[in-house]
Amino acid sequence: KKNKKINILDYGSNIASLSNLQNKIDLRNLNFNIFDPYNLNTKFKKPIKKINVKIVNNKKEFINQKFDLLHFGSCIQYQDNFFNEFKTRLHKLSKFILITHTPFSSKGNYKSRQKNHRNLIQNIYSLKKIENLFKKNKFNLIFKSRNDDKYIACVSNKYKSYSLNLLFKKCKTI
C-alpha cells in the first residue's frame, strides 16, 4: 500500500548494516527493528538520518509482534539452536523470511572455523534441511540466488557449500 510503513525485524544485525543501504534505496517507509544481542546500549541518538530504527537486545521485546519481513543477514550460521528457535517462535513473526549471505551445504550439516576469525565457529546447515524446516512450518521458497564463493569464509568446505540468499513466503491456510 502506498503510504503504509513496512516493519522489518533484522535479526542478529547492527546499525552499521543500514548505513550503506540508505545510499541505495529510499528507506522512509521502512521501520527497522534490529535485534542485536551484543548491543548493550539500545538507547541512542538517531545515528542515521531519515531511517526509522529501534535496536533491541532482548527477544522479549519483539517475540509477540508481527513484522512484514524477518531478515536473517549472515547470522544463522552462528546459532547452534536455529532449528529449535525457528520451530518454537521465529516462524510466527512474519509471512516473509529473507536469509542473505549465508553458507549452506548441498548435503549434510557441519561445523567449520571461520577463515578471518579463527575463534568463530560456523554451523553450515544443509539447504535441504532448511527447506524442509520451512516447509513443515508452511513456508515456500519463492526466490534463491547464489553469492560469490568468497562469502562462505569457512576453513573447511564440505559437501559443496555455497553462500546463498533465500526468500520464503508463508503459505495461505485454507
Side-chain angles (χ1 to χ4, degrees):
K1 296 180 181 176
K2 192 172 184 178
N3 291 322
K4 182 184 179 258
K5 294 272 187 187
I6 297 171
N7 292 309
I8 299 168
L9 175 58
D10 199 350
Y11 192 96
S13 187
N14 59 55
I15 194 71
S17 64
L18 292 180
S19 61
N20 189 39
L21 190 59
Q22 76 170 351
N23 297 325
K24 300 183 184 323
I25 62 172
D26 183 2
L27 302 176
R28 286 179 287 193
N29 285 335
L30 303 176
N31 290 325
F32 288 94
N33 296 271
I34 297 174
F35 172 58
D36 181 357
Y38 304 107
N39 185 337
L40 301 177
N41 181 21
T42 58
K43 307 233 185 299
F44 59 90
K45 292 181 180 174
K46 206 167 188 179
I48 303 173
K49 294 178 183 176
K50 300 180 184 173
I51 297 180
N52 300 314
V53 63
K54 177 183 175 186
I55 297 178
V56 297
N57 59 12
N58 187 332
K59 292 177 189 170
K60 291 178 185 175
E61 294 187 50
F62 64 80
I63 208 63
N64 293 319
Q65 294 181 36
K66 293 287 184 191
F67 298 92
D68 298 304
L69 176 70
L70 173 55
H71 176 235
F72 295 100
S74 189
C75 68
I76 68 170
Q77 69 267 33
Y78 302 110
Q79 298 175 22
D80 288 323
N81 60 348
F82 178 74
F83 281 75
N84 287 335
E85 266 200 70
F86 186 83
K87 286 188 281 191
T88 57
R89 293 184 258 182
L90 297 177
H91 74 280
K92 299 174 185 174
L93 296 177
S94 180
K95 293 179 182 175
F96 291 93
I97 299 178
L98 177 64
I99 301 173
T100 57
H101 283 86
T102 302
F104 291 101
S105 82
S106 60
K107 292 188 181 171
N109 297 343
Y110 69 95
K111 291 182 182 283
S112 176
R113 292 196 180 281
Q114 188 164 311
K115 283 181 186 174
N116 58 345
H117 295 286
R118 296 288 177 153
N119 294 332
L120 281 178
I121 302 295
Q122 292 191 45
N123 298 290
I124 313 305
Y125 296 112
S126 156
L127 178 59
K128 186 163 271 328
K129 288 182 181 178
I130 287 286
E131 287 177 314
N132 287 339
L133 170 69
F134 277 75
K135 192 173 277 185
K136 285 178 186 174
N137 288 280
K138 298 183 172 80
F139 281 87
N140 288 329
L141 179 63
I142 61 170
F143 176 81
K144 175 172 58 173
S145 68
R146 182 175 169 186
N147 302 306
D148 191 304
D149 285 345
K150 70 182 177 183
Y151 294 111
I152 299 171
C154 296
V155 171
S156 62
N157 185 343
K158 298 180 184 178
Y159 311 128
K160 293 185 181 177
S161 298
Y162 306 103
S163 174
L164 300 175
N165 305 308
L166 308 172
L167 179 59
F168 293 90
K169 181 180 180 183
K170 186 83 168 177
C171 303
K172 292 185 179 183
T173 55
I174 300 171

